[in-house]
């Protein structure tokens, strides 16, 4: 396809186009998710989706519709959410040090008012007869704005605050449309606002307010009516879905590197988003500048990486800023989740069912991941994923990467057991 300069190939059924595949779809089936997702995968292998050719028509056959309807009827999913964050360990009110030596003998920073990361977790009701919609997101302010006397926190926090306002406003409008005396449109024909639209509106509001700065951002939603996760991402925040997948049915997601008798379990990465970079340590970012000596070159929400992924009972979703992924290997993140499951869910069946501890458990996992990332970030004797990738790009860097770190965890389970 690459040599022939063909972007897309149609999928035909009885001379009717029912979909398309592109080179990325083929790569997804040929390579592991770690090879094609994350920060390293984006640098080495990125092949962007270019959209559907003009004139292509898609047809949803009746048998596919019936499968979707049966799935909605048979699986009643709910989500427990948890979140935790810590600022850069060497941050003070007027400075950010690059090492412990420069920072001094003070306790590591835990003042969240200094954190350039921002996040939110919220549930909104679309109508009285539809399940609630779950939204969550993170944003990471770009720290290099300090050299221009700009507070890096302002833009990332404004993006998140505006995103929450957009979601709340959209939910209120849908509720009004569905109430008695309204337009009666609160059904499946009125889809919930997509994360990309949330990012677009939040960006427009932030730029309209002329807030100088820039930020990466990732916003996701779980639609419990469709049983799917959708997200929009700009930059090097990351989203991963971890799932119990038996080796016999794993297909291309099966573990290739570790012999079966040495594997710790069947927990695997089912999906890993791309972390978008212009070059090493220069992520895509949304922003605004009114500083004359600085010529801005920002992305727009149109550059977002977006996708929708089916979710299943037992899935664990991790949405985090780069402070997590720069310091903990993906395999170790899976191991930490596995240990957490063993602690809170003693039997295999309990992984898929409701639990009385609810968000206490997901908060504990988010905290565990953030604290482990911080521990590794200040360890000079262990090369982090950031350091390994830096050396691959001819940059001498050893040890961890101290940074603000935010993690949101979602555990999916079946209400009906």
């Amino acid at each position: 396809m690459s040599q022939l300069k063909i972007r897309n190939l149609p999928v035909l059924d009885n001379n009717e186009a029912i979909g398309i595949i592109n080179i990325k779809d083929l790569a997804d089936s040929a390579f592991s998710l770690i090879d094609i997702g994350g920060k390293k995968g984006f640098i080495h292998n990125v092949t962007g989706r270019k959209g559907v050719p003009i004139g292509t028509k898609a047809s949803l056959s009746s048998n596919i519709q019936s499968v979707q309807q049966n799935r909605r009827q048979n699986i009643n999913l709910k989500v427990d959410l948890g979140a935790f964050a810590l600022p850069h360990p060497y941050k003070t009110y007027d400075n950010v040090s690059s090492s412990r030596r420069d920072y001094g003998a003070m306790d590591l920073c835990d003042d969240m008012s200094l954190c350039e990361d921002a996040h939110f977790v919220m549930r909104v009701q679309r109508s009285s007869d539809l399940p609630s919609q779950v939204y969550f997101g993170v944003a990471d302010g770009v720290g290099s704005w300090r050299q221009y006397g700009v507070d890096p926190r302002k833009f990332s926090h404004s993006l998140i605050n505006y995103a929450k306002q957009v979601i709340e406003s959209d939910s209120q409008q849908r509720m009004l449309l569905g109430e008695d005396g309204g337009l009666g449109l609160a059904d499946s024909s009125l889809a919930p606002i997509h994360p990309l639209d949330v990012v677009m509106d939040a960006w427009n509001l932030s730029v309209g307010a002329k807030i100088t700065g820039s930020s990466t951002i990732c916003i996701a939603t779980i639609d419990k009516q469709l049983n799917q996760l959708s997200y929009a991402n700009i930059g090097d925040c990351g989203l991963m879905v971890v799932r119990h997948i038996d080796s016999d049915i794993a297909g291309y997601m099966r573990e290739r590197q570790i012999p079966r008798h040495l594997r710790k379990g069947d927990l695997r990465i089912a999906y890993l988003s791309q972390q978008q970079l212009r070059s090493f340590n220069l992520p895509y970012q949304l922003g605004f500048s009114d500083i004359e000596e600085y010529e801005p070159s920002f992305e727009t929400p149109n550059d977002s990486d977006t996708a929708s992924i089916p979710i299943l009972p037992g899935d664990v979703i991790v949405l985090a800023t780069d402070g997590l992924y720069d310091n903990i290997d993906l395999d170790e993140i899976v191991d930490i989740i596995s240990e957490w499951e063993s602690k809170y869910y003693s039997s295999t069946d309990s992984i898929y069912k409701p639990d009385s501890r609810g968000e206490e458990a997901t908060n504990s996992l988010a905290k565990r991941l953030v604290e482990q990332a911080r521990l590794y970030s200040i360890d000079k004797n262990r090369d982090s994923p950031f350091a390994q990738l830096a050396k691959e790009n001819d940059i001498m860097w050893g040890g961890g990467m101290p940074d603000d770190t935010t993690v949101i965890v979602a555990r999916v389970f079946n209400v009906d057991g």
Side-chain angles (χ1 to χ4, degrees), residues 164 170 179 199 228 242 247 261 265 325 340 344:
K164 291 165 61 179
D170 177 80
E179 289 179 351
V199 172
Q228 74 177 14
V242 179
S247 295
H261 67 282
Y325 300 107
W340 167 80
Y344 280 91

Side-chain angles (χ1 to χ4, degrees), residues 395-417:
I395 298 171
M396 295 310 298
W397 185 284
M401 177 58 178
D403 199 358
D404 305 297
T405 305
T406 300
V407 172
I408 298 173
V409 170
R411 170 185 170 257
V412 183
F413 59 90
N414 189 352
V415 176
D416 302 324

